[in-house]
């Protein structure tokens, strides 16, 4: 963004330490939920095996992944409904989710 004669970033900038602290806020350890999701994934894969021809078996994991990823859309819609997420303004540059981390390679 232009501010007088200067330009300022219009998105978050983190030091490595700040970024590590930030992502730690989103680490949720829920063994019960992990187990439910693992059971769901296994059940869906077993069902795919039942109807996918043997010659296409190597592609099952890709199809299962795509099928299961559909849940993300429902989660996003719910987060928007609750006001946790907001829809991007189509008349402005999309900077939501853009950030910069100082330092070397980041591997969260």
């Amino acid at each position: 963004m232009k501010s007088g004669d200067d330009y300022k970033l219009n998105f978050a900038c983190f030091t490595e330490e700040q970024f590590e602290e930030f992502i730690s806020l989103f680490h949720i350890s829920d063994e019960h939920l992990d187990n439910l999701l693992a059971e769901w994934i296994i059940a869906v894969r077993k069902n795919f095996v039942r109807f996918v021809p043997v010659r296409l078996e190597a592609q099952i994991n890709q199809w299962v992944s795509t099928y299961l990823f559909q849940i993300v859309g429902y989660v996003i819609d719910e987060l928007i409904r609750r006001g946790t997420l907001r829809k991007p303004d189509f008349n402005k540059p999309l900077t939501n989710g853009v950030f910069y981390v100082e330092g070397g390679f980041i591997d969260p």
Side-chain angles (χ1 to χ4, degrees):
M1 293 176 32
K2 186 161 172 80
S3 177
D5 292 334
D6 298 324
Y7 288 93
K8 296 182 179 183
L9 297 176
N10 193 20
F11 50 86
C13 295
F14 299 96
T15 64
E16 287 185 62
E17 294 79 21
Q18 289 170 325
F19 184 66
E20 287 177 18
E21 183 180 340
F22 175 70
I23 62 173
S24 75
L25 299 173
F26 300 95
H27 179 74
I28 299 171
S29 182
D30 185 337
E31 189 174 330
H32 178 69
L33 181 59
D34 289 347
N35 290 338
L36 287 173
L37 290 171
E39 290 171 15
W40 179 51
I41 292 166
I42 291 166
V44 169
R45 192 179 192 297
K46 284 180 180 177
N47 283 300
F48 266 76
V49 169
R50 289 184 192 157
F51 66 84
V52 172
V54 175
R55 71 181 191 283
L56 301 176
E57 194 170 303
Q59 298 177 19
I60 289 177
N61 287 348
Q62 296 168 25
W63 294 339
V64 169
S65 177
T66 300
Y67 176 79
L68 296 175
F69 195 74
Q70 293 178 60
I71 196 172
V72 171
Y74 297 115
V75 171
I76 289 171
D77 285 344
E78 180 61 19
L79 291 174
I80 290 171
R81 188 189 69 74
R82 292 181 185 190
T84 305
L85 286 178
R86 60 187 162 110
K87 291 182 182 179
D89 184 341
F90 294 110
N91 297 320
K92 293 182 179 177
L94 180 60
T95 58
N96 294 355
V98 174
F99 60 91
Y100 171 80
V101 180
E102 293 178 0
F105 177 72
I106 303 298
D107 186 14

